Amino acid sequence: MGATPPLSPLAPAAFPDLPTIGGVNFATTSAGVRYQGRTDVMLVTLAPGTAIAGAFTRSATRSAAVLDCQAKIGGDPTEGAAIIVNSGNANAFTGSVGDKSVEAVTGAVAERLGVPTARVFSSSTGVIGEPLPHQRIIDSIDTLKGALSPDGISGAARAIMTTDTFPKGSSETVMIDGQAVHIAGIAKGSGMIAPDMATMLVYIFTDAAIDQAILQSTVTALNRTTFNCITVDSDTSTSDTLLVAATGASGIRVTENNIGFMEGLRRVMLDLAHQVVRDGEGATKFVEISVTGAASDAEAHVHAKAIANSPLIKTAIAGEDPNWGRVVMAVGKSGARADRDTLSIWFGEMLVAKDGWVSPEYDEEGAAAYMKNQDIEIHVDLGLGGGTATVWTCDLTHGYIDINADYRS
């Protein structure tokens, strides 16, 4: 974590130009949580009336900050709210000491900003098992308060990075009754990514006016096909947090099942999820795995994740080897229903296996050439039913070992 890792070859050309969201202000600072001279704390303030929804890791060892956020979601939105995030230390597996750190930080933010403690949400990301030096964060609050700006979202995206090689942002504008509603989000994540809810840390903001219950049900539904469909290394973080805040500053009310708003939010969530995969530790390939013909959607997802998480498949992709036999292996071991004699596999548009046997059309040279692409698609049809799923992952290279062997140094 000490040295800046080289930029991912899958990184976007630049951080996007995100719109200002009414009712949201950002500030960042260097508090020295783990390293000196690195921006490592961000503060977000939210206007009174902001509805906040969330999704969180289902890890049995989730952090104190996650537990605190879970307890606060769905509270009275009348007064203002705040989000404070630090990088460098996850404050996870720190027992009652971690709980006291969360209480101290959120309490101090509440006092300095004049908002209820029940409306202060915190997140921490970084090394697990070390006490959070929370006084350093508390000592930075006045500096953060003085620096708050509606234009600070790009700095916020950088402040929450750990092994990330680039800050992640996304936005959409949707029209509702002829008026524009803006959505903008940031994320961090690079390793320990096999979300059982979201990615490591994600914060999305909109100026739409929406009831908390409707926002929560929307976020929960969209999460299933976005953040819960990515994996870098099959490891679920203790700190995964997704918070979505709707300030209502536009005055445009979103009602239940508004397709335009849901689609705009879905695109932001999926774009951020894809960026996390494209920044996978050591990644050189972005891989889409789609499964059709499963006995159910749930079983299709099991098969897709088995393929995406297989070290043999991920290293074959890194080595640009079209070893479709490893896909057969992953389907067979997944635990979901499969039939050897109805299984077909494609690499891109190339049919490599059909009905339980190598395809007569299979071209080894063509398949090897396809594997040189940065973006790879693997499609499996099980021939059993109507179940479908799509999962996104990356390859597994020696760079992953290098990053994680030095993570605590």
Side-chain angles (χ1 to χ4, degrees):
M1 277 180 65
T4 302
L7 183 67
S8 167
L10 307 176
F15 189 81
D17 184 15
L18 302 182
T20 298
I21 304 295
V24 186
N25 289 283
F26 302 88
T28 62
T29 192
S30 300
V33 173
R34 185 170 181 84
Y35 301 106
Q36 297 300 316
R38 285 182 55 169
T39 304
D40 58 1
V41 179
M42 82 153 186
L43 175 67
V44 182
T45 60
L46 301 162
T50 297
I52 301 174
F56 306 93
T57 181
R58 290 197 288 258
S59 166
T61 55
R62 54 194 179 275
S63 72
V66 169
L67 292 168
D68 186 62
C69 282
Q70 286 180 296
K72 291 174 176 176
I73 286 292
D76 181 3
T78 305
E79 299 189 66
I83 301 169
I84 188 159
V85 184
N86 75 270
S87 60
N89 183 308
N91 191 25
F93 205 66
T94 48
S96 61
V97 171
D99 297 333
K100 291 175 182 176
S101 290
V102 171
E103 182 179 352
V105 170
T106 58
V109 169
E111 179 184 2
R112 309 284 174 84
L113 298 183
V115 300
T117 303
R119 293 273 283 167
V120 179
F121 299 84
S122 70
S123 302
S124 298
T125 180
V127 173
I128 293 170
E130 297 182 5
L132 178 69
H134 59 260
Q135 192 60 45
R136 298 176 191 175
I137 300 172
I138 293 170
D139 290 344
S140 73
I141 294 173
D142 287 338
T143 299
L144 290 163
K145 181 180 177 180
L148 286 164
S149 165
D151 302 316
I153 193 168
S154 63
R158 289 172 173 84
I160 61 177
M161 293 166 54
T162 51
T163 59
D164 305 59
T165 72
F166 61 88
K168 300 162 182 68
S170 183
S171 69
E172 289 284 340
T173 298
V174 298
M175 301 304 294
I176 298 176
D177 296 330
Q179 297 178 285
V181 165
H182 303 290
I183 306 168
I186 58 175
K188 69 85 49 184
S190 186
M192 202 183 290
I193 302 293
D196 198 9
M197 49 59 59
T199 186
M200 289 189 73
L201 298 178
V202 185
Y203 308 96
I204 300 175
F205 310 95
T206 177
D207 54 14
I210 182 169
D211 291 342
Q212 195 279 335
I214 295 173
L215 183 62
Q216 184 62 62
S217 63
T218 300
V219 169
T220 299
L222 295 178
N223 186 57
R224 296 189 190 106
T225 56
T226 56
F227 294 116
N228 267 3
C229 287
I230 63 170
T231 178
V232 167
D233 50 20
S234 82
D235 287 332
T236 298
S237 171
T238 59
S239 307
D240 291 345
T241 297
L242 162 65
L243 293 176
V244 181
T247 67
S250 68
I252 303 167
R253 180 152 293 279
V254 173
T255 54
E256 192 168 8
N257 299 323
N258 185 289
I259 300 302
F261 179 78
M262 289 182 69
E263 178 58 20
L265 181 56
R266 187 195 69 82
R267 287 196 296 265
V268 169
M269 291 170 69
L270 187 60
D271 184 18
L272 291 173
H274 283 184
Q275 288 187 53
V276 169
V277 173
R278 290 184 179 278
D279 203 15
E281 291 170 341
T284 65
K285 308 278 189 182
F286 178 80
V287 186
E288 178 178 289
I289 297 164
S290 59
V291 174
T292 57
S296 67
D297 289 350
E299 292 202 9
H301 186 79
V302 170
H303 282 299
K305 290 294 284 286
I307 296 165
N309 284 327
S310 166
L312 287 175
I313 292 173
K314 292 162 76 71
T315 50
I317 292 170
E320 301 180 341
D321 176 12
N323 192 337
W324 54 268
R326 293 180 175 179
V327 178
V328 174
M329 173 278 301
V331 169
K333 72 154 188 176
S334 76
R337 282 169 284 184
D339 184 332
R340 179 198 65 189
D341 295 333
T342 61
L343 179 64
S344 298
I345 302 168
W346 288 257
F347 284 0
E349 297 183 356
M350 183 176 301
L351 180 64
V352 299
K354 179 177 173 60
D355 296 333
W357 194 252
V358 63
S359 169
E361 305 167 12
Y362 179 60
D363 173 11
E364 177 78 17
E365 289 187 7
Y370 175 74
M371 299 302 288
K372 295 185 180 299
N373 292 325
Q374 273 196 341
D375 288 12
I376 301 293
E377 296 179 8
I378 297 174
H379 174 61
V380 172
D381 188 88
L382 292 149
L384 297 178
T388 65
T390 303
V391 166
W392 296 272
T393 190
C394 57
D395 56 346
L396 180 60
T397 70
H398 202 282
Y400 183 87
I401 299 171
D402 294 338
I403 291 166
N404 284 285
D406 294 335
Y407 184 69
R408 296 198 301 163
S409 62

